[in-house]
Amino acid sequence: MENHHVNFFVISDSVGETARKVLNAVLSQFPDVETVIHQFPFVRKETELENIFIQAKEKEAVIIHTLVTNNLSSFTEAYCKENEIRCYDVLKDLVSGVSEITNQSPIKRAGASHQLDDEYFNRISAIEFAVKYDDGKDPKGLLEADLVLLGISRTSKTPLSMFLANKNIRVANLPILPEAQIPDELWEVNPKKIVGLTNDIETLVNFRKERMIAYGLSEETIYSNIDRVKKEIAFADELYEKLDCYIINVAKRSIEETTEIIIKNVLNK
């Protein structure tokens, strides 16, 4: 009898990315099968596993796991065998094979491929923060950030935010426009945590023209108009002066160079 609906329980003592990718690769071969994938990451105790297995048995689910520590792996194998739950260890055969070939024992450390330590989690958290508070999406992020980047269009706010996030720095960025209201939250931020980004007029005009061309539009728009660019730069400069924040001209600097300046002159002071 064909089964067109299957529940999968993906269990890992790490993030579960490996098991999920393997499962997705397999399921791509069965396009007519309707699946529901339940993810259980960072499982580190037998009691947690037992609760998951009870749910799995109720749903007649298939267990897919990458549990590498001996006690969790063996517990899973024994429990699933006793309770007739379909269970597949994604890593077991390959780990055993490599161990036999190299005559070395695996380290049996959860999340070894991801270096799951505090630094890893902090970096993921910083990246999520940068995405959430990119481009002024929520002004509340300005108050929670380690660093606030301000700038008119084409001053590298977003790529800088992401690059800094990879260094575990939580960044919120805010676009500056003469017509846009400055959120009240900005004035509550310590100015020593704010960086105002600017650019040369000609460089900005060229960047914006290239952007219009990339969109299939005429390069001659109000967005790339030199008088408009001058107005935006003047508005930003005036705001930075009021805030008394650190200012960086990104015209001739790479993301890496700007990042080093920020770390040295803003974050380390």
Side-chain angles (χ1 to χ4, degrees):
M1 181 178 177
E2 293 184 353
N3 188 356
H4 290 279
H5 182 91
V6 184
N7 282 285
F8 289 93
F9 278 33
V10 177
I11 308 172
S12 177
D13 40 23
S14 174
V15 293
E17 182 181 0
T18 301
R20 182 65 182 255
K21 284 183 176 179
V22 171
L23 178 58
N24 285 337
V26 172
L27 293 179
S28 68
Q29 303 298 316
F30 302 91
D32 296 330
V33 177
E34 181 183 347
T35 61
V36 178
I37 299 175
H38 308 263
Q39 197 96 8
F40 299 92
F42 308 115
V43 177
R44 301 292 173 88
K45 298 179 181 178
E46 290 184 5
T47 52
E48 295 178 75
L49 279 173
E50 195 164 8
N51 290 331
I52 294 170
F53 295 153
I54 291 171
Q55 298 177 53
K57 190 169 179 62
E58 289 175 354
K59 293 180 178 289
E60 298 183 352
V62 178
I63 300 290
I64 309 291
H65 78 85
T66 52
L67 299 165
V68 296
T69 53
N70 281 328
N71 63 314
L72 296 183
S73 181
S74 58
F75 178 79
T76 297
E77 186 175 353
Y79 190 102
C80 290
K81 185 176 182 179
E82 182 180 347
N83 291 275
E84 298 182 341
I85 300 173
R86 286 185 179 271
C87 177
Y88 299 93
D89 185 337
V90 173
L91 300 177
K92 184 178 180 180
D93 290 343
L94 185 56
V95 170
S96 297
V98 173
S99 180
E100 183 179 345
I101 292 168
T102 61
N103 198 30
Q104 293 187 30
S105 299
I107 60 176
K108 299 292 182 75
R109 188 179 75 212
S113 64
H114 296 289
Q115 298 180 353
L116 289 177
D117 50 20
D118 289 341
E119 184 178 352
Y120 173 79
F121 286 116
N122 289 339
R123 184 165 68 253
I124 295 301
S125 176
I127 291 171
E128 290 175 346
F129 187 93
V131 172
K132 183 177 181 180
Y133 297 113
D134 180 47
D135 213 26
K137 290 175 184 173
D138 185 350
K140 293 178 181 178
L142 302 174
L143 301 175
E144 300 173 18
D146 300 321
L147 178 76
V148 173
L149 296 179
L150 308 178
I152 61 176
S153 178
R154 311 308 289 170
T155 51
S156 305
K157 295 185 299 299
T158 296
L160 256 178
S161 295
M162 297 308 299
F163 196 86
L164 286 159
N166 273 281
K167 294 182 177 293
N168 299 354
I169 300 164
R170 300 192 309 164
V171 185
N173 74 69
L174 180 70
I176 302 301
L177 280 170
E179 299 83 6
Q181 183 177 355
I182 301 300
D184 295 336
E185 288 84 353
L186 181 61
W187 303 104
E188 298 177 39
V189 179
N190 183 342
K192 292 182 179 179
K193 293 169 53 178
I194 302 175
V195 173
L197 303 173
T198 188
N199 209 325
D200 293 342
I201 295 172
E202 290 185 4
T203 302
L204 266 178
V205 170
N206 290 332
F207 276 167
R208 293 185 177 190
K209 285 183 177 180
E210 290 172 4
R211 193 177 193 185
M212 292 297 97
I213 293 172
Y215 287 155
L217 303 172
S218 170
E219 64 177 42
E220 299 300 334
T221 65
I222 186 63
Y223 176 71
S224 58
N225 179 271
I226 190 168
D227 291 330
R228 168 65 187 188
V229 170
K230 287 179 179 178
K231 180 179 179 181
E232 289 185 26
I233 290 177
F235 177 80
D237 287 344
E238 184 179 345
L239 175 64
Y240 299 161
E241 186 176 348
K242 289 179 182 178
L243 291 167
D244 192 27
C245 64
Y246 194 85
I247 302 173
I248 301 176
N249 188 319
V250 301
K252 297 178 182 179
R253 292 190 171 98
S254 65
I255 297 297
E256 292 83 359
E257 289 173 324
T258 305
T259 296
E260 288 305 312
I261 293 172
I262 290 172
I263 293 174
K264 180 181 178 180
N265 297 291
V266 180
L267 296 173
N268 286 342
K269 282 196 172 183

